[in-house]
Amino acid sequence: DSGVTQTPKHLITATGQRVTLRCSPRSGDLSVYWYQQSLDQGLQFLIQYYNGEERAKGNILERFSAQQFPDLHSELNLSSLELGDSALYFCASSVGNRRGDQETQYFGPGTRLLVL
Amino acid sequence: KNEVEQSPQNLTAQEGEFITINCSYSVGISALHWLQQHPGGGIVSLFMLSSGKKKHGRLIATINIQEKHSSLHITASHPRDSAVYICAAPTGNQFYFGTGTSLTVIP
């Protein structure tokens, strides 16, 4: 158990809908990362937050948005869902540092999203 | 062109064999990550290294920053090592992932 929790575990929805995925980092961790893993594209980095502020942005679509709240939990919002958004969405956390140095990341169990 | 290349893509080994997985990258990085993903889907970070070698139990990771190459070794492999191993190269605002090496260790 990494200490990172994600809800829900599974989500089935329809095209055009909007969903919110939630992540609670390990106690004390300031950095949160979001990743998407699909069968055809493998793991992709979406976005990173550090202490409430966006730090790095990867391949996140405009239809997707995220935020990190004052209690450090994070949410990933996916809207106007398409079939191709079906994937495993992982959240990870790390201790966090102001310089942005690389750190070991602890991964949550993932949310499996199926868009029908 | 992929920024991170892993080899082999698939690997089957007999229990007890010494295993090597290779990762080459083309981007400039300060550190490289090795991840393990089990059949159930969960991901565990095995190593983060920026130079030299790290060891954890039967796992050893090495990196040569100048040659942009890293290897993950498993000594005395065991069926419970069966998983997908993924290397990740973070640079700037991006993480580049290898496509993974699927390892099966047969008893």
Side-chain angles (χ1 to χ4, degrees):
Chain A
D1 183 359
S2 67
V4 179
T5 60
Q6 288 186 249
T7 56
K9 281 190 179 174
H10 303 275
L11 197 47
I12 302 174
T13 188
T15 54
Q17 294 299 304
R18 172 190 166 95
V19 296
T20 297
L21 312 184
R22 183 188 167 106
C23 169
S24 293
R26 289 187 325 155
S27 176
D29 282 359
L30 299 179
S31 277
V32 169
Y33 311 76
W34 285 99
Y35 299 94
Q36 179 194 57
Q37 186 177 39
S38 59
L39 279 175
D40 58 342
Q41 296 207 340
L43 262 172
Q44 288 196 90
F45 168 65
L46 296 179
I47 198 164
Q48 179 198 356
Y49 281 85
Y50 169 69
N51 205 19
E53 300 288 327
E54 181 184 305
R55 169 160 277 180
K57 204 167 190 175
N59 301 326
I60 190 165
L61 299 172
E62 281 192 17
R63 300 182 285 108
F64 296 0
S65 65
Q67 55 183 321
Q68 185 179 29
F69 294 87
D71 67 352
L72 300 176
H73 92 272
S74 178
E75 293 181 357
L76 179 67
N77 300 297
L78 316 176
S79 61
S80 303
L81 284 167
E82 301 175 359
L83 296 178
D85 297 328
S86 296
L88 255 176
Y89 291 85
F90 287 101
C91 159
S93 74
S94 69
V95 171
N97 61 86
R98 285 206 178 99
R99 287 195 345 173
D101 293 339
Q102 286 300 309
E103 298 174 321
T104 297
Q105 295 180 27
Y106 298 87
F107 285 77
T111 292
R112 193 174 294 274
L113 174 67
L114 180 59
V115 182
L116 300 175
Chain B
K1 181 185 180 298
N2 293 330
E3 289 80 1
V4 179
E5 302 273 2
Q6 271 186 250
S7 63
Q9 275 193 307
N10 297 286
L11 185 52
T12 301
Q14 289 291 131
E15 183 173 355
E17 282 186 18
F18 180 85
I19 287 159
T20 296
I21 299 170
N22 294 300
C23 174
S24 295
Y25 53 92
S26 58
V27 293
I29 63 170
S30 59
L32 182 127
H33 298 256
W34 280 101
L35 310 175
Q36 179 191 55
Q37 186 168 30
H38 275 282
I43 296 177
V44 173
S45 176
L46 296 175
F47 295 102
M48 186 196 70
L49 66 167
S50 55
S51 66
K53 178 165 98 173
K54 282 192 176 180
K55 185 174 190 288
H56 185 251
R58 295 178 295 104
L59 272 59
I60 303 166
T62 63
I63 190 167
N64 185 320
I65 291 282
Q66 286 74 28
E67 293 188 5
K68 297 190 174 182
H69 182 268
S70 177
S71 293
L72 177 67
H73 306 284
I74 305 175
T75 62
S77 59
H78 189 277
R80 65 174 173 266
D81 298 325
S82 298
V84 175
Y85 294 83
I86 302 167
C87 65
T91 179
N93 281 346
Q94 187 57 280
F95 267 82
Y96 294 102
F97 291 92
T99 52
T101 295
S102 179
L103 171 66
T104 302
V105 181
I106 300 169

